[in-house]
């Protein structure tokens, strides 16, 4: 009986150790992605990075004129360099590639204008970036495109008190998989 109890205690300890290791890996994914991107493109484009989530924000002035969803030449040139580096940061690390289920391109607007117009504009901006990605050649393009999702957020995250240019942006976000615990321990 004590042997059986000892077996289950050891099994419990082993499973607990695996869970802790898995949680640590998941916690470090955003940081690993950001570090990989920084290694490839440096600090070009005035990007904002969120170390906790892995979100990368592109300021609107790089990509679009105010009120427009047509990509500027400067924005196209930036995306030609950024997207291959971004894709490589994801697909060169098998752990990251397996854990990222979606790459969400979110368009955001300031509070200037109507809520309806801002929602439409933000979606059209996200779609313009997504469509432009189709014209860029880079390794793992097909895998990258399978994970893409364009989303418009309108003025949801904008400062409602003032029209702030900082609220006009495009964000690259990740959705990570939630692993089935059976897969982890097999």
């Amino acid at each position: 009986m004590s042997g059986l109890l000892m077996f289950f205690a050891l099994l419990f300890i082993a499973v607990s150790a695996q869970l802790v290791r898995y949680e640590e890996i998941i916690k470090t994914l955003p940081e690993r992605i950001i570090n990989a991107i920084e290694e490839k493109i440096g600090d070009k484009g005035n990007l904002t990075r969120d170390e906790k989530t892995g979100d990368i924000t592109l300021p609107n002035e790089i990509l679009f004129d105010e009120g427009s969803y047509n990509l500027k030449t400067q924005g196209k040139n930036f995306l030609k360099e950024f997207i291959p580096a971004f894709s490589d940061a994801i697909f060169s690390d098998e752990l990251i590639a397996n854990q990222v289920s979606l790459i969400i391109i979110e368009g955001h607007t300031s509070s200037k204008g109507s809520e309806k117009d801002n929602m439409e504009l933000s979606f059209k901006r996200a779609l313009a970036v997504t469509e432009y990605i189709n014209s860029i050649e880079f390794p793992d393009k097909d895998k990258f495109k399978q994970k893409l999702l364009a989303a418009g957020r309108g003025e949801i995250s904008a400062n409602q008190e003032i029209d702030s240019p900082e609220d006009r942006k495009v964000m690259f976000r990740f959705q990570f998989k939630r692993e089935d615990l059976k897969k982890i321990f097999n």
Side-chain angles (χ1 to χ4, degrees):
M1 188 67 120
S2 62
L4 189 56
L5 182 59
M6 181 64 98
F7 171 76
F8 282 114
L10 289 173
L11 183 62
F12 176 75
I13 291 169
V15 168
S16 295
Q18 285 280 31
L19 282 174
V20 168
R21 188 176 74 81
Y22 178 72
E23 286 177 10
E24 283 303 312
I25 289 169
I26 296 302
K27 284 180 188 176
T28 63
L29 280 178
E31 183 180 346
R32 289 172 71 173
I33 293 168
I34 288 173
N35 289 341
I37 292 168
E38 286 178 345
E39 283 177 21
K40 291 171 182 26
I41 67 166
D43 197 25
K44 296 177 183 168
N46 220 8
L47 304 177
T48 305
R49 301 147 176 97
D50 186 326
E51 300 287 333
K52 292 179 184 172
T53 63
D55 293 350
I56 297 175
T57 302
L58 309 181
N60 199 52
E61 64 268 9
I62 291 175
L63 300 174
F64 306 102
D65 288 323
E66 184 177 341
S68 174
Y69 60 90
N70 295 313
L71 279 166
K72 297 179 353 182
T73 302
Q74 176 188 5
K76 290 177 181 180
N77 292 336
F78 176 79
L79 289 171
K80 280 181 189 175
E81 186 175 354
F82 174 73
I83 294 300
F86 188 71
S87 175
D88 188 53
I90 295 166
F91 293 106
S92 65
D93 185 326
E94 190 176 331
L95 176 67
I96 293 172
N98 288 334
Q99 288 300 313
V100 172
S101 62
L102 286 176
I103 302 164
I104 304 164
I105 299 175
E106 285 186 355
H108 293 255
T109 65
S110 69
S111 56
K112 182 179 179 181
S114 75
E115 190 174 333
K116 178 185 180 291
D117 289 345
N118 285 335
M119 186 59 76
E120 287 178 15
L121 178 60
S122 67
F123 179 70
K124 287 178 179 179
R125 286 178 173 170
L127 196 56
V129 170
T130 303
E131 289 174 350
Y132 188 71
I133 289 170
N134 289 328
S135 72
I136 303 170
E137 292 304 320
F138 56 96
D140 297 311
K141 178 178 177 178
D142 290 335
K143 291 179 191 175
F144 190 84
K145 285 175 38 179
Q146 288 176 359
K147 293 181 184 271
L148 278 182
L149 174 69
R153 300 285 293 164
E155 60 187 68
I156 290 171
S157 301
N159 182 337
Q160 298 300 313
E161 306 288 319
I162 60 168
D163 173 31
S164 175
E166 292 176 5
D167 292 331
R168 299 180 197 110
K169 59 193 173 208
V170 171
M171 293 181 76
F172 284 74
R173 299 191 122 157
F174 297 102
Q175 180 174 318
F176 295 107
K177 291 179 183 175
R178 304 225 185 254
E179 286 289 335
D180 181 0
L181 291 178
K182 291 178 188 174
K183 292 179 185 176
I184 295 170
F185 300 112
N186 289 334

